[in-house]
Amino acid sequence: MSVKGTNSTSKGPGRAGVEPKRAESSGAPTAVDRPELVRNIVLVGHSGAGKTMLLEALLASTGMITRMGSIADGTTVGDADPVAVHQQRSVALSVAPVVVGDVKVNLFDTPGYADFVGELRAGLRAADGALFVVSAVDGVDAATTALWGECERVGMPRAVVISRLDHPRADYDAVLAECRAAFGESVLPLSVPVQGDGSIVGVLDLLSGEVSDYSDGTLQPTVHPGSEDQLERLAVARGELMEGIIAESEDETLMDRYLGSEEIELDAIVSDLETAVARGTFFPVLATAATAGIGAAEVLDLLVRGFPSPAEHAVPRVTDLDGQPARPLSCDPDGPLVGEVVRTTVDPFLGRVCLVRLFSGTLTEDTPVHVGGHGLADRGHPDHDSDERVGHLYAPFGASLRAVPRVVAGDICALAKLASAETGDTVSSRDAPLLINPWDMPEPLMPVAVEAASHGDEDALAKSLAKVAAGDPTLRVERNAETHQLVLWCMGEAHADVVLDRLRDQGVKLQTVDVVTPLRETFGAPASGHGRYVKQSGGHGQYAICDIEVEPLERGGGFEFVDRIVGGVIPGPYVLSVEKGVRSQMQKGVAAGFPVVDIRVTLVGGKTHSVDSSDAAFQAAGALALREAAAATKIQLLEPVSAVTISVPDDYVGSVMSDLSSRRGRLTGTTSSGGETTEISAEVPDAELLRYAVELRALTAGTGRFRREYLRHEPAARAS
């Protein structure tokens, strides 16, 4: 938003009197003393859209860095994570502030790849506004459109940056049309690219009619009026922009004045634009070429003047430790201390480092705090509470930390050495602890089985996994009780690669193995078994004989043990021993090593010895009898089947249903969920779902989502 040549001040309650001063920007992040001087903005968009380089341009244009880094060289502020450097893409949330005049703008760079949606959700939670970065080469993808809808439902202020306009295949007009079709008619251009010698050299502000000329190669543009030819060609676009802004104005006379050809003061239009952006009802589009720094100054103007401060943004609901609602909070530096850990990393020197968004209160060094995390037990993060003390406070700047004396409500800080803190935890006053309701997280649905390379690496694997899981709420670690495998439930292949890389970077030697589906066994037909366990070895021997009959039950029937001994040929205590032996063998399996289920075992006869019979002998005899019965009949393997609910845009319903059929899925129903989305319900064998998180994404251009719930075990396609 260009406001050059105007003396307007924003009418928004948290933005009043804030004037951007590009030339006077500080080179280091500073602490602010009130929330009105903070902006928290998250950069979102698909992978490769240009978010990280836009962040570099904004940092360089304000003097926060001396020169822009390179993704290829691994020198950008946003992608300082070693895994990101290795993979040449953002894999984690990072934050870097820019200082414009008195205003500190915390910029959150988020990964664009779908596997890292947990990092994206954390960025959305920490921010008060979203900057959608759309590539002028690739346009709008379906996942970005879906994310826009999510932000719309919660009323988050948004703007659009069309990036990469210096690329040979860039098409500003076509991508602008895509944005309007995907995001709505309230998306209108505020600046447009200016071409010179076949490439972009600046941007023209449609409101002021001024051109910001970057042709001299510096990040500070030369500003001059647009030519008559330029203004004439853009008259229609300017008229649409004016009408869009005026339609959002609280001044009901403004539209009549405009339609009556009355000249409207630029200050009034700019002020109404700022208010509409902060309110989340109008969405300006800016043009940029970040690698050349073109358009960065205009983006900063919009962030400072148009986006709301934390004081204008609602604070998440809080409860006490018992789950009872607490009184609503506001972004007040003098209010109760409440912050949330939005990211956790492990530094080799500082230990656990927590990125915290402070919603209420003021945090200073040496403050006693309560750290609590509730509501993520199903992710392998049990509820926990502890009292700790804050050491040093830091302002995060990518991978580096810079000490600050205090942090007020609305700002972002980093805390080191909070021993128990995990991503999603609440940091509050020790005297009045509170909990913030956790943000929505998708369920990790792709399993990856790992094992230590050697017995000596098992402890290292366990410790490193605990550290990685503490910072990643989308990762679920499970030790499967049936297969005894260590399974990492991930969001997809890229997420799994990052988790494994982090473990290996910590010196853990591990390997991946095939995921074993937890099958079960049952008897396909009735059978009889004779268990004879007789041993003589001098002194007391072992003597136990039992006869059993086994018959299958209906699916889900469990296990029944029936005693039909006549005449006491096996005493009561030894009857219990036979049952123990049968149960023990059922856990070990009788054919393929999987647990046996859904059978009735009837004890019909046997023999004892007055001296040599024992509990251990009859347990062994019971196990032998079950194995003999199994050898005499057909054993049926049972595979787990899950109830799956898939949410997809209507355009993909046919493809998804056809794919489910190829996976032995049984369709149980479809429901229109509104908004051109359909929910498909089906029953699918778990063996067909091991990579479904990846394959559904490919099938639906990244728009499909699914959830699953164990339903039952049923006969596998191939029986033994």
Side-chain angles (χ1 to χ4, degrees):
M1 174 200 303
S2 176
V3 290
K4 308 174 191 73
T6 75
N7 296 314
S8 66
T9 57
S10 169
K11 296 191 295 186
R15 293 163 284 121
V18 174
E19 284 290 333
K21 303 176 184 177
R22 295 194 206 103
E24 299 175 10
S25 299
S26 169
T30 59
V32 295
D33 58 6
R34 53 195 176 99
E36 290 81 6
L37 298 178
V38 177
R39 304 289 183 271
N40 294 309
I41 310 297
V42 60
L43 308 182
V44 301
H46 63 78
S47 184
K51 301 181 296 298
T52 299
M53 290 310 300
L54 176 60
L55 175 61
E56 289 291 300
L58 297 176
L59 292 171
S61 68
T62 53
M64 304 302 294
I65 54 177
T66 56
R67 60 183 180 133
M68 294 172 58
S70 162
I71 293 176
D73 296 337
T75 55
T76 62
V77 173
D79 284 349
D81 187 301
V83 178
V85 174
H86 172 69
Q87 296 195 8
Q88 296 282 285
R89 63 181 173 192
S90 299
V91 299
L93 174 72
S94 65
V95 61
V98 298
V99 180
V100 184
D102 296 328
V103 180
K104 178 184 179 184
V105 184
N106 293 311
L107 296 166
F108 297 89
D109 186 17
T110 63
Y113 198 67
D115 278 18
F116 308 112
V117 65
E119 304 289 336
L120 169 62
R121 302 285 179 190
L124 290 171
R125 179 63 160 236
D128 304 304
L131 203 59
F132 278 71
V133 182
V134 178
S135 168
V137 179
D138 303 316
V140 183
D141 69 339
T144 303
T145 304
L147 179 60
W148 182 278
E150 291 184 29
C151 292
E152 186 173 41
R153 284 189 288 275
V154 299
M156 176 171 277
R158 284 147 282 156
V160 178
V161 170
I162 297 181
S163 63
R164 302 181 65 194
L165 284 168
D166 51 348
H167 193 280
R169 292 192 293 108
D171 190 335
Y172 175 84
D173 292 333
V175 172
L176 174 61
E178 278 188 50
C179 290
R180 298 199 68 191
F183 304 151
E185 293 300 313
S186 294
V187 174
L188 288 168
L190 184 58
S191 67
V192 297
V194 174
Q195 300 289 327
D197 295 328
S199 62
I200 180 173
V201 295
V203 295
L204 185 148
D205 185 287
L206 289 178
L207 285 183
S208 67
E210 294 177 333
V211 172
S212 294
D213 189 340
Y214 292 82
S215 58
D216 61 0
T218 67
L219 296 175
Q220 302 300 328
T222 301
V223 180
H224 59 78
S227 67
E228 290 186 9
D229 179 60
Q230 288 173 324
L231 298 179
E232 183 177 344
R233 284 189 291 104
L234 295 170
V236 174
R238 184 179 190 276
E240 292 179 348
L241 175 64
M242 292 285 289
E243 291 178 12
I245 296 171
I246 292 172
E248 299 293 335
S249 175
E250 296 176 357
D251 184 351
E252 297 179 357
T253 67
L254 207 57
M255 182 62 77
D256 292 335
R257 291 168 55 196
Y258 176 74
L259 294 177
S261 300
E262 182 178 337
E263 186 68 26
I264 308 297
E265 301 85 353
L266 182 59
D267 287 358
I269 293 296
V270 169
S271 181
D272 283 338
L273 171 60
E274 295 168 358
T275 302
V277 171
R279 200 165 49 203
T281 56
F282 186 81
F283 316 104
V285 180
L286 300 176
T288 66
T291 54
I294 297 173
E298 286 64 35
V299 172
L300 284 171
D301 277 337
L302 176 65
L303 299 184
V304 173
R305 301 188 58 123
F307 277 86
S309 75
E312 301 171 77
H313 197 254
V315 173
R317 290 179 295 176
V318 295
T319 66
D320 60 23
L321 298 186
D322 295 326
Q324 298 301 313
R327 68 179 180 84
L329 299 177
S330 61
C331 186
D332 181 2
D334 297 323
L337 178 65
V338 175
E340 186 171 33
V341 179
V342 295
R343 184 159 192 256
T344 306
T345 58
V346 178
D347 184 273
F349 302 104
L350 295 175
R352 191 169 296 192
V353 178
C354 299
L355 187 67
V356 176
R357 161 69 194 263
L358 198 62
F359 288 104
S360 176
T362 299
L363 197 57
T364 58
E365 294 183 354
D366 206 35
T367 301
V369 296
H370 177 87
V371 178
H374 291 207
L376 292 174
D378 58 335
R379 298 295 180 87
H381 300 270
D383 292 353
H384 55 276
D385 295 278
S386 64
D387 291 332
E388 303 194 38
R389 185 175 294 274
V390 172
H392 295 295
L393 290 175
Y394 301 96
F397 190 82
S400 64
L401 301 174
R402 304 180 183 185
V404 292
R406 64 201 296 265
V407 178
V408 300
D411 205 354
I412 306 296
C413 67
L415 306 179
K417 299 181 179 179
L418 290 183
S420 64
E422 300 180 355
T423 300
D425 283 3
T426 302
V427 177
S428 60
S429 169
R430 183 181 295 181
D431 298 329
L434 296 169
L435 292 171
I436 298 177
N437 292 342
W439 65 80
D440 290 336
M441 280 290 179
E443 183 74 17
L445 294 169
M446 195 191 87
V448 178
V450 298
E451 60 183 30
S454 67
H455 181 71
D457 293 314
E458 290 180 355
D459 286 344
L461 175 58
K463 291 177 181 178
S464 296
L465 260 180
K467 294 177 183 178
V468 173
D472 188 352
T474 61
L475 173 67
R476 179 159 56 89
V477 181
E478 172 190 72
R479 174 70 72 175
N480 191 288
E482 296 185 25
T483 65
H484 307 294
Q485 284 190 308
L486 180 61
V487 179
L488 311 181
W489 288 88
C490 304
M491 298 301 301
E493 286 182 324
H495 184 211
D497 288 344
V498 168
V499 171
L500 295 175
D501 281 350
R502 293 199 193 286
L503 292 172
R504 290 175 177 131
D505 286 345
Q506 296 180 36
V508 177
K509 296 179 181 179
L510 57 81
Q511 57 195 17
T512 60
V513 295
D514 291 339
V515 177
V516 177
T517 302
L519 303 178
R520 294 176 186 171
E521 303 173 2
T522 193
F523 279 60
S528 299
H530 176 72
R532 175 184 173 85
Y533 189 75
V534 178
K535 291 187 177 181
Q536 296 294 331
S537 57
H540 286 300
Q542 298 289 336
Y543 188 96
I545 297 175
C546 66
D547 295 296
I548 62 172
E549 294 177 352
V550 184
E551 55 187 312
L553 299 176
E554 293 182 355
R555 296 286 76 80
F559 170 64
E560 296 179 13
F561 186 83
V562 180
D563 176 12
R564 288 189 183 169
I565 292 295
V566 178
V569 294
I570 298 180
Y574 292 157
V575 171
L576 295 177
S577 300
V578 173
E579 181 179 354
K580 288 180 184 178
V582 169
R583 287 182 179 273
S584 176
Q585 188 62 51
M586 288 175 63
Q587 288 300 312
K588 298 175 183 177
V590 293
F594 296 105
V596 178
V597 296
D598 301 341
I599 60 172
R600 177 186 294 119
V601 174
T602 304
L603 180 61
V604 295
K607 294 181 181 180
T608 62
H609 188 279
S610 59
V611 176
D612 293 342
S613 292
S614 66
D615 170 66
F618 271 97
Q619 286 193 44
L624 287 169
L626 187 65
R627 292 203 297 269
E628 183 177 292
T633 189
K634 176 183 177 182
I635 297 300
Q636 174 72 62
L637 286 181
L638 304 176
E639 64 179 343
V641 175
S642 289
V644 178
T645 303
I646 307 159
S647 178
V648 294
D650 293 343
D651 292 344
Y652 298 104
V653 170
S655 299
V656 170
M657 291 174 65
S658 176
D659 180 70
L660 286 173
S661 297
S662 70
R663 297 175 184 275
R664 299 184 286 133
R666 292 187 295 273
L667 185 69
T668 58
T670 59
T671 305
S672 176
S673 54
E676 299 182 346
T677 301
T678 296
E679 282 198 347
I680 303 170
S681 300
E683 297 176 358
V684 186
D686 283 12
E688 303 288 347
L689 297 174
L690 296 179
R691 291 180 46 81
Y692 194 57
V694 177
E695 289 155 353
L696 176 65
R697 190 179 300 149
L699 193 64
T700 62
T703 60
R705 302 288 183 270
F706 80 103
R707 58 185 185 273
R708 59 187 285 185
E709 183 178 0
Y710 169 75
L711 193 60
R712 61 180 176 270
H713 273 69
E714 61 181 37
R718 293 182 179 179
S720 64

